[in-house]
Amino acid sequence: MINVGIVGFGYWGPNVARNFSITPGAKVVAIGDADDKSLQRAAVSYPGARMEKDCELILTAKDIDVVAIVTPVSSHFSIAKKALENGKHIFIEKPFTASVAEAEKLIAIAEIKKLKIMVDHTFLFTGAVKKIKELIDDGILGDLYYFDSIRVNLGLFQKDVNVVWDLAPHDLSIMDHILHMDPVAVTATGVAHFRNQLEDVAYITIYFPGNVIAHLNVNWLSPVKIRTTLIGGQKKMLVWNDLVSDEKIRVYDKGVEGLDSLEIESKEKAYGLRLSYRSGDMWAPRVTQVEALQGETSYFIDCINNNIPPKNDGHAGLRVVRMLEAIKQSLSGGGALVRLD
Amino acid sequence: MINVGIVGFGYWGPNVARNFSITPGAKVVAIGDADDKSLQRAAVSYPGARMEKDCELILTAKDIDVVAIVTPVSSHFSIAKKALENGKHIFIEKPFTASVAEAEKLIAIAEIKKLKIMVDHTFLFTGAVKKIKELIDDGILGDLYYFDSIRVNLGLFQKDVNVVWDLAPHDLSIMDHILHMDPVAVTATGVAHFRNQLEDVAYITIYFPGNVIAHLNVNWLSPVKIRTTLIGGQKKMLVWNDLVSDEKIRVYDKGVEGLDSLEIESKEKAYGLRLSYRSGDMWAPRVTQVEALQGETSYFIDCINNNIPPKNDGHAGLRVVRMLEAIKQSLSGGGALVRLD
Amino acid sequence: MINVGIVGFGYWGPNVARNFSITPGAKVVAIGDADDKSLQRAAVSYPGARMEKDCELILTAKDIDVVAIVTPVSSHFSIAKKALENGKHIFIEKPFTASVAEAEKLIAIAEIKKLKIMVDHTFLFTGAVKKIKELIDDGILGDLYYFDSIRVNLGLFQKDVNVVWDLAPHDLSIMDHILHMDPVAVTATGVAHFRNQLEDVAYITIYFPGNVIAHLNVNWLSPVKIRTTLIGGQKKMLVWNDLVSDEKIRVYDKGVEGLDSLEIESKEKAYGLRLSYRSGDMWAPRVTQVEALQGETSYFIDCINNNIPPKNDGHAGLRVVRMLEAIKQSLSGGGALVRLD
Amino acid sequence: MINVGIVGFGYWGPNVARNFSITPGAKVVAIGDADDKSLQRAAVSYPGARMEKDCELILTAKDIDVVAIVTPVSSHFSIAKKALENGKHIFIEKPFTASVAEAEKLIAIAEIKKLKIMVDHTFLFTGAVKKIKELIDDGILGDLYYFDSIRVNLGLFQKDVNVVWDLAPHDLSIMDHILHMDPVAVTATGVAHFRNQLEDVAYITIYFPGNVIAHLNVNWLSPVKIRTTLIGGQKKMLVWNDLVSDEKIRVYDKGVEGLDSLEIESKEKAYGLRLSYRSGDMWAPRVTQVEALQGETSYFIDCINNNIPPKNDGHAGLRVVRMLEAIKQSLSGGGALVRLD
């Protein structure tokens, strides 16, 4: 049995606690939160666990194997460091850390201590992302052209991070997972409209090798909620609409034909050549409906028990933080290109 | 009666010819195209007009008052220059010219000669854009936050211009018209996936004074066709979906509250303040269904007869070309910020 | 404090129990279910309530004021009768009873005993139905032409009732509530495709006075889920799509003009007269998001405390059962007209 | 070359004329219409054809092989009869005739004279209906359960026929074509809301052998336009939305499982058996975009040249009229069941 201590019982903490509590082989033994009201709510739901107003007691407790850190990103590093130093595996909210330097330090400690880090990139465990990953890995889409994601809605404004750090980690972790490529450069633009000076609208472009381009549109000021990703490939193209309950993923047999011939033509001739378009069937593969977080906590317990490096480990978390840091830098420069290679 | 000569009878020329031919006070007297087949088609539809294989004859003809130039952008300058020099008003396809320098020269000639230039920014004459303009001018949306447009579909690849010069002039001219502001800076990213080296996917950010930001997403490689514009304002927000026949424009009574109080709070307090959201009714004002081009040709005849400067005159065309040129420059620099002020 | 006993803790019972448990002034003191597993689940959630395998003990218990009956319709009458005879108010699932005769008997008992009956027509307490009712009562739609509802999906097949008794009570109770008219006649068609001989597809027409017509399309064999109601009125028309989270109700300023003039024209002339159509704005009023069942249980406690006859009382339940009985009769006759007046 | 005379150049006539004029092997030699304005419009478009104010001259003209009858249904019989008696093949608008008796007489004459009748069931020639027919004929959907169609919009009120005779012929002809079964009985309900006493809302149920049921919902008073057909089969289910340009047809791998076992179970056991549901992929086969009427006129010329009985011949037209007549009878009886076998 793996004993889990939860640090932070605010908005997302209850979900993490509930999923660890129903994961076979795991047990929630302690919950910590400095806020009395949150702790009282936790006590009602987990009468068998001990409640700690001082979260440090969880990081150092002898009986705890895993610390789940569900606190604001600014506190991630210090909490995670102490947990790792005390020999705990950590399950930690995204984004992993507030900087690349912090992430690298945590990874180094974990490696020395032979501990697991899992960054809560929940979306990787949804039926939709699993299916997209499978379609790409199986070569159904062919070589990829672009990844274009829109994640907009009205609010929720965060008081300490801008819209990029709030919303983009979802897309960045998904993109990292399914493209499986190292980005070459990043550029980002955006604007803050309110006195808190936090960008509420932002646009991010990420260049990958081989002319693959990614773009994220994140916005806290949209009257409508949109969660749509387009992925263009040489063989097929895909649209993922995460807001519909059925047919979330649509695979289009559409594309541009006559490209091979271009290869052997002289440039002049190529220009004159009319490209033709292929427009065939559309297919919406069934996507399994699962609670992603449940799959994720089970997978973490599995990784620990069988000593498997999680796909969403510290390195995955670091890759996302590295992009976030570059985006931040580009934003301050009004959209300057920031190289990552 | 104003006599019109049409130069170019390819894809769009027939529409321009047809609309001038049914405009009261105008008469299509000549059509020119170097291509025999196009000219034959024109001859069938316009038995009363003369057909010219040598388009120059139209530019210099004594009986012609207006030359409508419906040719590729690379030929715009030389044709328009000769037409103006011969005393003709010109109606010219968008984008106006291939460079800022060309546009400025044409404007200068027209001013000296007291001739009208109308750039075919057709969208300004649609019921949808008219209604949006009216909503903004009437203050219904309040101060604007952003203008975010997506214009993607599969093809049509052009053989001499990239996706930006093909699709973005629509959005740029609409944006220029309804925002009525001078852009401060531009940044653009994009990629060419095929041997012709023309970008087929591009993302453009345009900064305006007062924290207004605009963004265009143009793509020739999308499996689905999207023509959606979001406009966020302090009082109301708007979504324009140009692909639906009914309810093209939806106005949302949504927004962020508690901003005024922010003004007088200290920064620290402001950070702690919870913003609240207003989520009220949605309203889809009726949009008149008109043939935009018909409204535009009638308006041009009207501008000539009554010596009115067209809203889509050479200066409007120049503003769009100036942005296109800056976008081009930014694209070559991988997304570098290009200042326009 | 009003003490509530819940009879039946299967699919819907837990929702009823939970909502009574959080209703101010009410307390769930006992839960009964013949099934051991259901009772165990109830015991975990309601440690303060007593569990009864023999539901009769709830119907006769001295300390219980309200019995909530959440069992299959075939058992409603006997349970409700005993509860009423023992002086309990009853909250009862829809449809109220399996026959008009049963409903009338229960109403009679309740009247003699001065007890309240509330039939769980949950939809009446949704933001959408409240708004529609308000729009109609305020005369916004004008005189009504028709009520047309589609309620189709794949499954859930019931083992003892057909698709009409499963799905139509929703629409019949909504229709009864918002039209507030006595139906004149009913006709219904349908087919059973499986060995259980229960209709899985059915179509119901209900005639009202003044040329108002209602139609219900209920289907357990649809590949897509649809919950759409069209309501046509002389002044405005309305579409209610219950499956979207935003803009559930759309009010269209559309209609037929030139009707008054018809009144004074001779028949011949009238035929020749062209009707014209009004096609104006669309408006989606904000619909409050509430848990309907919570509003309903609170309202019931209120009705008891203040001796108010509930709008969804036994008479409302009876009106729905009377239509269901007529539909059944029509179905057996292959669609014969069954008069209700 | 087959010479075609067009009788009626109102709303639909110009489409029929244009399509015959571009059909290889056919030539429009005469157009007749009693209305001067219509005839003038025809003269402009067809300078090579003769114009006849007296349509009789077309029915008897020596040089005419085919008469296309595009007039109100009330005039079909007399015009068609004279055309057939004068040895002309006829292409005739739907519905074929105003009564079964009329249809039977025309068929009899055509058979004696060895002439072709084609009823303009245009929808049979659309890519969508062809694809649906193919899917059903290939057994993809399996045994059919139901055909459920909705065809509603605002207007166009006709001055001489009700909504059933205006809209239902589309669905009836499609249904007849793809089900290929003889209906057993019909029932219809509906209401007229205006002084012209023509039903503007109607609901039609058609029973077929083997528990197949069809339903049509036709309405001239709907604020939204809907053209949706659901077809349920044992193996697959299909939704056809004719208002979208892409993915008009969606085929769902959804259904009810465990039916075979029902066959051998006793009735009691069967009732207790839980049916399970299959919910797999969705697939939108590509539908070819063609001008249906063009396919139809070409097919007619082909049928004449090669002496092939058209699929949409007089018998097909008669089957639709027989249903229309039964619907009319049922409507007058308030929804009485009218047997057709």
Side-chain angles (χ1 to χ4, degrees):
Chain A
M1 184 60 64
I2 289 175
N3 288 340
V4 181
I6 311 289
V7 175
F9 203 79
Y11 169 68
W12 191 242
N15 292 324
V16 173
R18 178 169 52 80
N19 279 288
F20 271 117
S21 79
I22 58 175
T23 296
K27 192 180 171 187
V28 174
V29 296
I31 295 176
D33 201 304
D35 179 65
D36 284 329
K37 280 200 179 157
S38 299
L39 216 54
Q40 279 164 23
R41 281 191 297 123
V44 171
S45 301
Y46 299 91
R50 63 180 185 275
M51 299 295 129
E52 305 285 11
K53 199 174 157 64
D54 178 359
C55 293
E56 294 250 340
L57 298 177
I58 289 177
L59 312 181
T60 54
K62 286 275 172 344
D63 65 332
I64 287 177
D65 307 301
V66 165
V67 174
I69 302 165
V70 201
T71 60
V73 64
S74 54
S75 65
H76 280 190
F77 178 69
S78 62
I79 297 173
K81 183 162 172 285
K82 180 155 274 183
L84 290 168
E85 286 171 348
N86 281 278
K88 318 303 185 201
H89 303 287
I90 61 168
F91 179 93
I92 186 164
E93 268 322 289
K94 51 101 204 137
F96 183 19
T97 56
S99 73
V100 166
E102 288 179 356
E104 287 173 341
K105 279 178 209 158
L106 295 180
I107 291 171
I109 300 172
E111 274 170 13
I112 289 164
K113 294 256 185 181
K114 297 193 188 305
L115 292 166
K116 302 273 176 257
I117 296 174
M118 178 170 282
V119 184
D120 183 16
H121 294 165
T122 325
F123 262 107
L124 309 195
F125 297 86
T126 58
V129 172
K130 283 179 178 176
K131 176 58 75 178
I132 294 172
K133 172 79 170 154
E134 183 189 315
L135 291 168
I136 291 174
D137 288 355
D138 290 356
I140 304 293
L141 268 65
D143 291 339
L144 295 188
Y145 292 143
Y146 65 85
F147 174 99
D148 187 336
S149 191
I150 304 178
R151 186 174 296 273
V152 306
N153 55 259
L154 187 64
L156 178 74
F157 278 81
Q158 303 285 318
K159 68 177 182 180
D160 55 352
V161 297
N162 66 9
V163 71
V164 174
W165 284 73
D166 180 37
L167 297 181
H170 292 301
D171 301 294
L172 293 172
S173 62
I174 294 164
M175 184 191 77
D176 171 70
H177 180 60
I178 67 177
L179 295 191
H180 212 71
M181 294 171 81
D182 288 319
V184 171
V186 160
T187 165
T189 53
V191 164
H193 292 95
F194 301 110
R195 283 283 300 265
N196 58 11
Q197 299 298 326
L198 297 169
E199 283 84 2
D200 43 54
V201 174
Y203 305 102
I204 301 158
T205 296
I206 306 166
Y207 289 104
F208 288 92
N211 281 348
V212 177
I213 191 168
H215 188 264
L216 316 182
N217 178 335
V218 288
N219 186 334
W220 276 336
L221 281 177
S222 168
V224 286
K225 188 174 182 176
I226 307 177
R227 298 271 182 276
T228 299
T229 303
L230 275 69
I231 302 177
Q234 198 186 345
K235 292 188 186 162
K236 294 266 193 307
M237 296 177 174
L238 179 155
V239 179
W240 168 30
N241 179 357
D242 203 45
L243 296 185
V244 294
S245 53
D246 296 316
E247 300 144 44
K248 280 177 186 291
I249 297 174
R250 299 176 176 218
V251 182
Y252 293 83
D253 183 19
K254 290 194 175 178
V256 180
E257 299 289 337
L259 302 178
D260 291 347
S261 57
L262 283 177
E263 302 294 324
I264 48 164
E265 300 284 338
S266 70
K267 206 174 171 187
E268 286 70 23
K269 271 196 165 176
Y271 275 18
L273 198 74
R274 266 216 125 71
L275 295 175
S276 70
Y277 302 94
R278 184 181 72 256
S279 189
D281 294 0
M282 185 270 271
W283 166 63
R286 185 170 171 267
V287 168
T288 50
Q289 304 255 14
V290 289
E291 182 168 4
L293 191 49
Q294 176 55 20
E296 191 179 14
T297 54
S298 301
Y299 172 62
F300 191 37
I301 297 305
D302 212 45
C303 286
I304 292 170
N305 285 335
N306 301 296
N307 196 24
I308 300 164
K311 56 188 176 191
N312 50 330
D313 64 1
H315 295 283
L318 168 60
R319 291 195 297 273
V320 169
V321 171
R322 182 171 287 133
M323 289 188 277
L324 287 171
E325 220 177 61
I327 290 164
K328 198 180 187 174
Q329 191 185 333
S330 179
L331 262 181
S332 347
L337 191 75
V338 177
R339 299 203 67 89
L340 282 163
D341 52 356
Chain B
M1 184 61 63
I2 289 174
N3 287 341
V4 181
I6 311 287
V7 175
F9 204 79
Y11 169 68
W12 190 244
N15 293 324
V16 174
R18 178 170 51 80
N19 279 287
F20 270 116
S21 77
I22 58 175
T23 295
K27 191 178 173 189
V28 174
V29 297
I31 295 176
D33 200 304
D35 179 65
D36 284 329
K37 280 199 178 160
S38 299
L39 217 53
Q40 280 163 23
R41 281 190 298 124
V44 170
S45 303
Y46 299 92
R50 63 182 185 271
M51 298 296 128
E52 304 286 9
K53 199 174 156 62
D54 178 359
C55 293
E56 294 250 340
L57 298 177
I58 289 178
L59 312 181
T60 53
K62 286 274 170 354
D63 65 333
I64 287 177
D65 307 300
V66 166
V67 175
I69 303 166
V70 201
T71 60
V73 64
S74 53
S75 64
H76 280 189
F77 178 70
S78 61
I79 297 174
K81 184 163 173 283
K82 180 156 273 182
L84 290 167
E85 286 170 349
N86 281 277
K88 317 301 183 202
H89 303 285
I90 61 169
F91 179 93
I92 186 163
E93 266 324 287
K94 53 96 206 146
F96 182 21
T97 56
S99 73
V100 166
E102 288 179 358
E104 287 173 339
K105 278 179 211 157
L106 295 179
I107 291 171
I109 300 172
E111 275 171 12
I112 290 163
K113 294 257 185 182
K114 299 193 188 306
L115 293 166
K116 302 274 176 254
I117 296 175
M118 178 170 282
V119 184
D120 183 15
H121 294 165
T122 326
F123 262 107
L124 309 196
F125 298 85
T126 58
V129 173
K130 282 180 180 174
K131 176 58 74 176
I132 294 172
K133 173 78 170 155
E134 182 190 315
L135 291 168
I136 291 175
D137 288 355
D138 290 355
I140 305 292
L141 269 65
D143 291 339
L144 295 188
Y145 292 144
Y146 64 85
F147 175 98
D148 188 335
S149 190
I150 304 178
R151 187 175 296 272
V152 306
N153 56 259
L154 187 64
L156 175 78
F157 279 81
Q158 303 285 319
K159 68 177 183 178
D160 55 352
V161 297
N162 66 9
V163 71
V164 173
W165 284 72
D166 180 35
L167 297 182
H170 293 301
D171 301 293
L172 293 172
S173 61
I174 294 164
M175 185 190 76
D176 172 69
H177 180 59
I178 66 177
L179 295 191
H180 211 72
M181 293 171 81
D182 287 319
V184 172
V186 160
T187 165
T189 54
V191 165
H193 291 96
F194 302 110
R195 285 283 300 266
N196 58 11
Q197 299 298 327
L198 296 169
E199 285 83 0
D200 43 55
V201 174
Y203 305 102
I204 300 157
T205 296
I206 306 166
Y207 289 103
F208 288 91
N211 281 347
V212 177
I213 191 168
H215 188 263
L216 316 182
N217 178 335
V218 288
N219 186 334
W220 276 337
L221 281 177
S222 167
V224 286
K225 188 173 183 178
I226 307 176
R227 298 271 182 277
T228 300
T229 303
L230 276 69
I231 302 177
Q234 197 187 345
K235 292 188 187 162
K236 294 266 195 308
M237 296 178 174
L238 178 154
V239 179
W240 167 31
N241 179 356
D242 203 46
L243 297 185
V244 294
S245 52
D246 296 316
E247 299 145 45
K248 280 178 187 291
I249 296 174
R250 299 174 177 221
V251 182
Y252 293 83
D253 183 19
K254 290 193 175 180
V256 180
E257 299 290 337
L259 302 179
D260 291 346
S261 56
L262 282 178
E263 302 294 324
I264 48 163
E265 300 284 338
S266 70
K267 207 175 175 187
E268 284 72 23
K269 271 197 167 177
Y271 276 17
L273 200 72
R274 266 217 124 71
L275 296 175
S276 70
Y277 301 94
R278 187 182 69 257
S279 188
D281 293 0
M282 185 270 271
W283 166 62
R286 184 167 175 269
V287 168
T288 51
Q289 303 253 14
V290 290
E291 183 167 5
L293 191 49
Q294 176 54 22
E296 192 178 13
T297 53
S298 301
Y299 172 62
F300 191 39
I301 296 306
D302 212 44
C303 288
I304 292 169
N305 285 335
N306 301 295
N307 195 24
I308 301 164
K311 57 188 174 189
N312 51 329
D313 63 1
H315 295 282
L318 168 60
R319 290 194 298 272
V320 168
V321 171
R322 182 172 287 131
M323 288 187 278
L324 287 170
E325 218 175 61
I327 290 164
K328 198 179 187 176
Q329 190 185 333
S330 179
L331 261 180
S332 347
L337 191 75
V338 177
R339 300 203 66 89
L340 282 162
D341 52 355
Chain C
M1 184 62 63
I2 289 175
N3 288 339
V4 181
I6 311 288
V7 175
F9 203 78
Y11 169 69
W12 190 242
N15 292 324
V16 173
R18 178 169 53 79
N19 279 288
F20 270 116
S21 78
I22 57 176
T23 295
K27 191 179 173 188
V28 174
V29 297
I31 296 176
D33 200 304
D35 179 64
D36 284 329
K37 281 200 177 157
S38 298
L39 216 53
Q40 280 164 22
R41 281 190 296 125
V44 171
S45 302
Y46 299 91
R50 64 180 184 274
M51 299 296 128
E52 305 285 10
K53 199 174 157 62
D54 178 0
C55 292
E56 295 249 341
L57 298 176
I58 289 178
L59 312 181
T60 54
K62 286 274 171 349
D63 65 332
I64 288 177
D65 307 302
V66 165
V67 174
I69 302 166
V70 200
T71 60
V73 63
S74 54
S75 65
H76 280 190
F77 178 69
S78 62
I79 297 174
K81 184 163 173 281
K82 180 158 274 184
L84 291 168
E85 286 171 348
N86 280 277
K88 318 301 183 201
H89 303 287
I90 62 169
F91 179 93
I92 187 162
E93 269 322 290
K94 52 101 205 136
F96 182 22
T97 56
S99 72
V100 166
E102 288 180 357
E104 286 173 338
K105 279 179 207 158
L106 295 180
I107 291 171
I109 300 172
E111 275 170 12
I112 289 164
K113 294 256 184 182
K114 298 193 187 306
L115 294 165
K116 302 272 178 255
I117 296 174
M118 177 170 282
V119 184
D120 183 15
H121 293 164
T122 325
F123 262 106
L124 308 196
F125 297 85
T126 58
V129 173
K130 282 179 180 176
K131 177 58 75 178
I132 295 172
K133 172 79 171 156
E134 183 189 316
L135 291 168
I136 291 175
D137 287 356
D138 291 356
I140 304 294
L141 270 64
D143 291 339
L144 296 188
Y145 293 144
Y146 63 85
F147 174 99
D148 187 336
S149 190
I150 304 178
R151 187 174 295 271
V152 306
N153 55 258
L154 188 63
L156 175 78
F157 278 81
Q158 303 284 319
K159 68 178 182 178
D160 55 352
V161 297
N162 67 8
V163 70
V164 173
W165 284 71
D166 180 36
L167 298 181
H170 293 301
D171 301 294
L172 293 172
S173 61
I174 295 164
M175 183 190 78
D176 171 69
H177 180 59
I178 67 178
L179 294 192
H180 211 74
M181 293 170 83
D182 288 319
V184 171
V186 160
T187 164
T189 54
V191 164
H193 292 96
F194 302 111
R195 285 282 300 263
N196 59 11
Q197 298 300 324
L198 296 169
E199 283 83 3
D200 43 55
V201 174
Y203 305 101
I204 301 158
T205 296
I206 306 166
Y207 289 103
F208 287 91
N211 280 348
V212 177
I213 190 168
H215 188 263
L216 316 181
N217 178 334
V218 288
N219 186 334
W220 276 337
L221 281 177
S222 169
V224 287
K225 189 174 182 176
I226 307 176
R227 298 271 181 276
T228 299
T229 303
L230 276 69
I231 302 177
Q234 198 187 345
K235 292 189 186 161
K236 294 268 193 305
M237 296 177 176
L238 179 156
V239 179
W240 167 31
N241 179 356
D242 202 45
L243 296 185
V244 295
S245 52
D246 296 316
E247 298 143 45
K248 280 178 186 291
I249 297 174
R250 298 173 178 223
V251 182
Y252 293 84
D253 183 19
K254 289 193 175 180
V256 180
E257 300 289 338
L259 303 179
D260 291 348
S261 57
L262 282 179
E263 303 293 326
I264 48 162
E265 300 284 337
S266 69
K267 206 176 173 186
E268 285 70 26
K269 271 197 164 175
Y271 276 17
L273 198 73
R274 267 216 126 71
L275 295 175
S276 70
Y277 301 94
R278 185 181 70 255
S279 188
D281 294 0
M282 185 270 272
W283 165 62
R286 184 168 173 268
V287 168
T288 51
Q289 304 254 13
V290 290
E291 182 167 4
L293 191 49
Q294 176 55 21
E296 192 179 12
T297 53
S298 301
Y299 172 62
F300 191 37
I301 297 306
D302 213 44
C303 288
I304 292 170
N305 285 335
N306 300 296
N307 195 25
I308 301 163
K311 57 188 173 190
N312 52 329
D313 62 1
H315 294 283
L318 167 60
R319 290 195 298 271
V320 169
V321 171
R322 182 172 287 133
M323 288 187 277
L324 287 170
E325 219 177 63
I327 290 165
K328 197 179 189 176
Q329 190 186 334
S330 180
L331 263 180
S332 349
L337 191 75
V338 176
R339 299 202 69 88
L340 282 162
D341 51 356
Chain D
M1 185 59 64
I2 288 175
N3 287 340
V4 181
I6 311 289
V7 175
F9 204 78
Y11 169 68
W12 190 244
N15 293 324
V16 173
R18 178 170 52 80
N19 279 286
F20 271 116
S21 78
I22 59 176
T23 295
K27 192 178 172 187
V28 174
V29 296
I31 295 176
D33 200 304
D35 179 67
D36 285 329
K37 281 200 176 158
S38 299
L39 216 55
Q40 279 163 23
R41 281 190 297 123
V44 171
S45 301
Y46 298 91
R50 64 181 184 274
M51 300 296 128
E52 304 286 10
K53 199 173 156 65
D54 178 0
C55 294
E56 295 249 341
L57 298 177
I58 289 179
L59 311 182
T60 54
K62 284 275 169 355
D63 64 332
I64 287 178
D65 307 301
V66 165
V67 174
I69 303 166
V70 202
T71 59
V73 64
S74 54
S75 65
H76 281 190
F77 177 69
S78 63
I79 297 174
K81 182 162 175 282
K82 179 157 273 183
L84 290 167
E85 286 170 349
N86 281 277
K88 317 302 183 200
H89 303 287
I90 62 169
F91 179 92
I92 187 163
E93 269 322 289
K94 53 99 204 141
F96 182 22
T97 55
S99 73
V100 166
E102 288 179 356
E104 286 173 340
K105 278 178 208 157
L106 294 180
I107 291 171
I109 299 172
E111 275 169 13
I112 289 164
K113 294 257 186 180
K114 296 193 188 305
L115 293 166
K116 303 274 177 254
I117 297 174
M118 178 170 282
V119 184
D120 183 15
H121 293 163
T122 326
F123 262 106
L124 308 196
F125 297 85
T126 59
V129 173
K130 282 179 179 175
K131 176 58 76 178
I132 294 172
K133 172 80 171 156
E134 184 189 315
L135 290 167
I136 291 176
D137 287 354
D138 290 356
I140 304 293
L141 269 65
D143 290 340
L144 295 187
Y145 292 144
Y146 64 85
F147 174 99
D148 188 337
S149 190
I150 304 178
R151 186 174 297 272
V152 306
N153 55 259
L154 187 63
L156 179 77
F157 279 80
Q158 303 285 319
K159 68 177 184 178
D160 55 352
V161 296
N162 66 8
V163 71
V164 173
W165 284 72
D166 179 35
L167 297 181
H170 293 301
D171 301 293
L172 293 172
S173 62
I174 294 164
M175 184 190 77
D176 171 69
H177 180 59
I178 67 177
L179 296 191
H180 212 72
M181 294 170 82
D182 287 318
V184 172
V186 160
T187 164
T189 53
V191 164
H193 292 96
F194 302 110
R195 284 283 299 265
N196 58 11
Q197 298 299 326
L198 296 170
E199 283 83 2
D200 44 54
V201 174
Y203 305 102
I204 301 157
T205 297
I206 306 166
Y207 289 104
F208 288 92
N211 282 346
V212 176
I213 191 168
H215 188 263
L216 316 182
N217 177 335
V218 288
N219 186 335
W220 276 337
L221 281 177
S222 169
V224 287
K225 188 174 182 176
I226 308 177
R227 298 271 182 275
T228 299
T229 303
L230 277 69
I231 303 177
Q234 197 186 347
K235 293 188 185 161
K236 294 265 193 308
M237 294 175 176
L238 179 155
V239 179
W240 166 30
N241 179 356
D242 203 45
L243 296 185
V244 295
S245 52
D246 296 316
E247 301 144 44
K248 281 178 187 290
I249 297 174
R250 299 174 175 219
V251 182
Y252 293 84
D253 183 19
K254 290 194 174 177
V256 180
E257 301 288 336
L259 302 179
D260 291 347
S261 58
L262 282 178
E263 303 293 325
I264 49 162
E265 300 283 338
S266 70
K267 205 175 173 187
E268 284 72 23
K269 272 195 165 176
Y271 276 18
L273 200 73
R274 265 218 124 72
L275 296 176
S276 69
Y277 301 93
R278 187 181 70 255
S279 188
D281 294 0
M282 185 270 270
W283 165 63
R286 183 168 173 268
V287 168
T288 50
Q289 304 254 15
V290 289
E291 181 166 7
L293 191 50
Q294 176 54 21
E296 191 179 12
T297 53
S298 300
Y299 172 63
F300 190 37
I301 296 305
D302 212 44
C303 287
I304 292 170
N305 286 335
N306 301 295
N307 195 25
I308 301 164
K311 56 188 175 189
N312 51 330
D313 63 1
H315 294 282
L318 167 60
R319 290 194 298 272
V320 168
V321 171
R322 182 172 288 131
M323 289 187 277
L324 286 170
E325 218 176 63
I327 290 164
K328 196 179 189 174
Q329 191 184 336
S330 180
L331 262 180
S332 348
L337 191 76
V338 176
R339 300 204 67 90
L340 282 162
D341 52 355

